[in-house]
Amino acid sequence: MAPAHACHRHVMLSGNVYRTVSDRCWDVPKRLADFTGMGLARQVLSPMPELLSYWLETGDAQPLLRYINEQTAGMVAAAPDRLVGLGAVPLQDLGLAVAELSHVMGVPGFAGVEIGSNVNGVPIGDPRFDPFFEACDALGAAVFVHALRPAGMDRLVGPPPLQQVLAYPTDVGLAAASVLTSGLMKRYPRLRLAFSHGGGTLGLLLPRLEQATRVFPALGDLPSPSAQARTLFYDTLVFDDATLRYLILLFGASQLMVGTDYPFNFREEAPVARLAAAGLDPSVQVQLAYRNAERFLGLDAGLR
Amino acid sequence: MAPAHACHRHVMLSGNVYRTVSDRCWDVPKRLADFTGMGLARQVLSPMPELLSYWLETGDAQPLLRYINEQTAGMVAAAPDRLVGLGAVPLQDLGLAVAELSHVMGVPGFAGVEIGSNVNGVPIGDPRFDPFFEACDALGAAVFVHALRPAGMDRLVGPPPLQQVLAYPTDVGLAAASVLTSGLMKRYPRLRLAFSHGGGTLGLLLPRLEQATRVFPALGDLPSPSAQARTLFYDTLVFDDATLRYLILLFGASQLMVGTDYPFNFREEAPVARLAAAGLDPSVQVQLAYRNAERFLGLDAGLR
């Protein structure tokens, strides 16, 4: 990182400024000070997705990800009742990924890992990743899928932020759809898998995919995509009350949990207040605010 | 075309079967016989998108599209009170496209044209297409945007139909977003532009795009994407009642109109009955069933 304005640093990748971030990325007391205003009791820390480094040689990626996991472990250890960690694993090498997963799951305070929506262009539902998901299943690791190096970049007309704004949710939607069409949850029914940004565009792909299973013989054996989708988790990071209510209808009130993108600029400032503002039943607010996250993270069963 | 089973033909492209289609594609009496069961009084004919042929040399594309337009004109002339035509234009050459548009708009029974969601990978909001949209604006031509050769193909895990099922709505969503981010409707506010498949994934991109205009200085001058989206038209072809109601909330009851994908396999069988089944107010059903389509097509002002 390189110095930037007060309390900020430039994240440098290959000598260029990738993103300018606030010290709330690594300063635990400052994070905790923000809890009250945001209505939070606990946060889950996950790596900035671009750091997942699937495109690096494994000899470079593995030590970098180990370093990131150690930093996350240090932050969680500083506030073990307030912070939970998600690790990073080098999915460009499934053997190394499983090894790092096993390591991370032995470190106090980790609930699982964050992975990208694709690995060097291959969506995460592709069966080649089964050994990794089998290990997640065996170890009880929660898997949070975040957009990364998305599809659709050549369909954008406008400034660079449109990557995050439009292509990220597009890639998350296609990644979630790939999980449904490959039958990943049929192979590993205990897997706990969550998708960023409300599942991106999945919601609007789902009814069409459901109808397609009734029309195309090649899709006739697919377990109901809508039923499958109700076994996945999603965050609430959609910035719109009507959209949140629509996702609850599609995915079920048991599958959504607060997401923030904190502390980046493009974040939800009042994630808990939004649940009330959206006019959700108090019991549904409790589910979305923490009950579902406890289930996804395995906190209900007791974190190591 | 090559013979297939009874009442069907294979559409042959470069010597391969592209799709097997029913004779309802070209048999006007058979189409009209289906009106009653579908609850229809009038249909709009548009070319099978793959025939738009943006990837052909213009010397091949222009005569092919002219032939298609002549076939459409012949069908419309056989039932001028029941059928309306949308033409095809070679958008790989804007001069030829404007010339064919002018020709088509002089043929009785044409309300406008169908175009692809992208032209050889360039989304239709790109300002390079402004001369075409300027001509549409000047001629009062309705423009129906249908998915074509979509982005996201490398993110699919499953059989070939997933192109239509998942990548088509993805590409339509990104195409509609490109119209919003490029400010096309600000440049041509009278333009009448409609998107297939309920706008594809646009609905779930829109709240995030709206929030982005408040966060990213580079997007700060963009006219409200949500307000812009309420000036575009969309079809109702989403196969789900909750989704249809969500789109009405987002886009407005004045902007949706019945779509069918008739007579292809992956179609809506009872498009009008679905409006009632979705629990829409009778006045909204009237808007979606024909009032909005009349406005989009310019039928309210009287078709030539």
Side-chain angles (χ1 to χ4, degrees):
Chain A
M1 293 198 290
H5 51 283
C7 309
H8 285 68
R9 296 280 175 86
H10 297 306
V11 178
M12 308 299 295
L13 293 178
S14 306
N16 299 311
V17 176
Y18 167 71
R19 193 181 283 182
T20 302
V21 299
S22 128
D23 59 3
R24 281 162 173 77
C25 284
W26 57 86
D27 187 318
V28 171
K30 286 199 178 181
R31 285 188 89 101
L32 298 182
D34 285 342
F35 273 33
T36 309
M38 295 176 72
L40 303 183
R42 214 160 184 181
Q43 273 185 345
V44 182
L45 305 180
S46 57
M48 185 172 73
E50 189 68 17
L51 297 177
L52 292 173
S53 307
Y54 298 147
W55 39 88
L56 296 187
E57 296 293 330
T58 53
D60 293 330
Q62 204 281 333
L64 173 60
L65 298 185
R66 174 60 64 91
Y67 177 80
I68 292 167
N69 291 334
E70 286 171 352
Q71 296 302 307
T72 303
M75 291 173 71
V76 172
D81 297 333
R82 318 296 298 278
L83 299 177
V84 176
L86 293 178
V89 299
L91 277 171
Q92 62 270 61
D93 181 315
L94 289 173
L96 285 178
V98 169
E100 189 63 21
L101 174 72
S102 301
H103 167 78
V104 154
M105 292 305 289
V107 176
F110 276 90
V113 291
E114 176 191 61
I115 68 173
S117 46
N118 70 85
V119 179
N120 300 319
V122 181
I124 54 105
D126 191 292
R128 79 183 71 180
F129 300 118
D130 276 11
F132 166 71
F133 289 113
E134 186 175 335
C136 293
D137 185 51
L139 293 165
V143 181
F144 175 54
V145 184
H146 193 284
L148 180 67
R149 300 209 169 182
M153 289 298 292
D154 56 343
R155 294 297 197 273
L156 306 181
V157 177
L162 293 181
Q163 175 176 358
Q164 281 179 66
V165 177
L166 299 174
Y168 269 22
T170 296
D171 210 66
V172 170
L174 291 170
S178 80
V179 165
L180 305 181
T181 57
S182 90
L184 181 67
M185 297 305 291
K186 193 175 174 188
R187 298 196 292 284
Y188 307 107
R190 294 177 311 173
L191 198 60
R192 305 192 312 276
L193 207 54
F195 291 84
S196 67
H197 311 112
T201 56
L202 176 68
L204 285 173
L205 299 176
L206 195 57
R208 188 167 165 86
L209 181 58
E210 185 73 22
Q211 175 73 4
T213 63
R214 300 184 200 111
V215 173
F216 294 104
L219 292 167
D221 290 337
L222 197 64
S224 160
S226 292
Q228 286 192 71
R230 296 172 82 93
T231 69
L232 305 174
F233 293 87
Y234 312 87
D235 73 21
T236 57
L237 193 51
V238 293
F239 301 114
D240 183 63
D241 298 342
T243 300
L244 184 57
R245 291 192 295 268
Y246 172 63
L247 296 185
I248 291 172
L249 269 179
L250 282 181
F251 300 145
S254 58
Q255 304 310 117
L256 288 142
M257 52 195 182
V258 163
T260 63
D261 266 340
Y262 174 94
F264 298 124
N265 288 339
F266 194 24
R267 70 176 181 270
E268 174 59 62
E269 303 268 2
V272 181
R274 180 174 285 281
L275 304 181
L280 308 181
D281 287 345
S283 65
V284 171
Q285 291 182 44
V286 166
Q287 288 179 286
L288 272 57
Y290 59 92
R291 288 276 185 232
N292 298 337
E294 286 175 338
R295 227 167 75 249
F296 166 65
L297 295 164
L299 298 182
D300 52 349
L303 198 68
R304 277 153 314 278
Chain B
M1 293 197 289
H5 50 283
C7 309
H8 285 68
R9 296 281 175 86
H10 297 306
V11 178
M12 306 300 293
L13 293 177
S14 304
N16 299 310
V17 176
Y18 168 72
R19 192 181 282 182
T20 302
V21 300
S22 130
D23 59 3
R24 283 162 172 77
C25 283
W26 56 86
D27 187 318
V28 171
K30 285 199 178 179
R31 286 188 88 102
L32 298 181
D34 285 342
F35 273 32
T36 310
M38 295 176 72
L40 303 184
R42 212 160 186 181
Q43 271 185 346
V44 182
L45 306 180
S46 57
M48 185 172 74
E50 189 69 16
L51 296 178
L52 292 174
S53 306
Y54 299 146
W55 39 88
L56 296 187
E57 296 293 328
T58 53
D60 293 330
Q62 204 281 333
L64 174 60
L65 297 185
R66 174 61 64 91
Y67 176 80
I68 291 166
N69 291 333
E70 286 170 353
Q71 296 302 306
T72 302
M75 292 173 70
V76 172
D81 297 332
R82 318 296 298 277
L83 299 177
V84 175
L86 292 178
V89 299
L91 277 172
Q92 64 269 59
D93 181 314
L94 290 173
L96 285 179
V98 169
E100 190 64 20
L101 174 73
S102 301
H103 168 77
V104 155
M105 292 306 289
V107 175
F110 277 91
V113 291
E114 176 191 62
I115 68 173
S117 46
N118 70 83
V119 179
N120 299 320
V122 181
I124 53 104
D126 191 293
R128 80 183 71 181
F129 300 119
D130 276 11
F132 166 70
F133 289 115
E134 186 174 335
C136 292
D137 185 51
L139 293 166
V143 181
F144 175 53
V145 184
H146 194 284
L148 179 69
R149 300 209 171 182
M153 289 298 292
D154 57 343
R155 295 296 197 272
L156 306 180
V157 177
L162 292 182
Q163 174 176 359
Q164 281 180 67
V165 177
L166 299 174
Y168 269 21
T170 296
D171 210 66
V172 170
L174 291 171
S178 80
V179 165
L180 305 181
T181 58
S182 90
L184 181 68
M185 296 306 290
K186 193 176 174 188
R187 298 197 291 283
Y188 306 108
R190 293 177 311 174
L191 198 60
R192 304 192 313 275
L193 207 53
F195 292 84
S196 68
H197 312 111
T201 56
L202 176 68
L204 285 173
L205 299 176
L206 195 56
R208 189 168 166 84
L209 181 57
E210 185 73 22
Q211 175 71 6
T213 62
R214 300 182 201 113
V215 172
F216 294 104
L219 293 166
D221 291 337
L222 197 65
S224 160
S226 292
Q228 285 192 71
R230 297 172 81 93
T231 70
L232 305 175
F233 292 86
Y234 311 87
D235 73 21
T236 56
L237 192 52
V238 294
F239 301 115
D240 183 63
D241 297 343
T243 299
L244 183 56
R245 290 191 297 267
Y246 172 63
L247 296 185
I248 291 171
L249 269 179
L250 282 181
F251 301 146
S254 58
Q255 304 310 118
L256 288 143
M257 51 196 183
V258 162
T260 63
D261 266 340
Y262 174 95
F264 298 125
N265 288 339
F266 193 24
R267 70 175 183 271
E268 174 59 62
E269 304 268 2
V272 181
R274 181 174 282 281
L275 304 181
L280 307 181
D281 287 344
S283 65
V284 172
Q285 291 183 46
V286 167
Q287 287 179 285
L288 272 57
Y290 59 92
R291 288 275 185 233
N292 298 336
E294 285 176 338
R295 226 168 74 247
F296 166 65
L297 295 165
L299 298 182
D300 52 349
L303 199 66
R304 278 153 312 280

